[in-house]
């Protein structure tokens, strides 16, 4: 899945985001593009849903964009 996170254009929020994502059961990989805040997440659909990943990001004060 690919999402864009408003804050993912500087180093500290990116580190926070990667930590959040890698602690979620079912997330296998997370890559962040610092230029535009694009986040590519590889996850096991049998373990977690896309909506749950987005909700977890939001719970940590970050803002995924539509």
């Amino acid at each position: 899945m690919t999402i864009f996170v408003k804050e993912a254009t500087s180093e500290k929020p990116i580190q926070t985001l990667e930590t959040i994502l890698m602690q979620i059961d079912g997330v296998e990989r997370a890559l962040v593009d610092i230029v535009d805040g694009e986040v590519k997440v590889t996850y096991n659909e049998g373990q977690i849903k896309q909506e749950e990943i987005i909700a977890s990001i939001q719970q940590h004060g970050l803002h995924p964009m539509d």
Side-chain angles (χ1 to χ4, degrees):
M1 104 174 159
T2 301
I3 56 174
F4 290 86
V5 177
K6 187 168 107 175
E7 295 84 1
T9 55
S10 60
E11 192 172 331
K12 182 135 179 65
I14 288 172
Q15 290 174 345
T16 300
L17 179 60
E18 288 177 341
T19 300
I20 292 165
L21 291 171
M22 294 313 297
Q23 289 177 347
I24 299 172
D25 286 338
V27 171
E28 297 165 3
R29 197 166 84 169
L31 297 171
V32 180
D33 184 342
I34 192 168
V35 174
D36 58 5
E38 180 183 52
V39 183
K40 293 185 179 183
V41 182
T42 304
Y43 65 100
N44 181 334
E45 293 178 18
Q47 284 185 278
I48 191 161
K49 295 180 179 150
Q50 183 172 335
E51 295 80 19
E52 293 171 304
I53 294 170
I54 291 171
S56 183
I57 292 169
Q58 291 171 329
Q59 287 172 354
H60 286 85
L62 299 172
H63 302 91
M65 298 181 284
D66 294 333

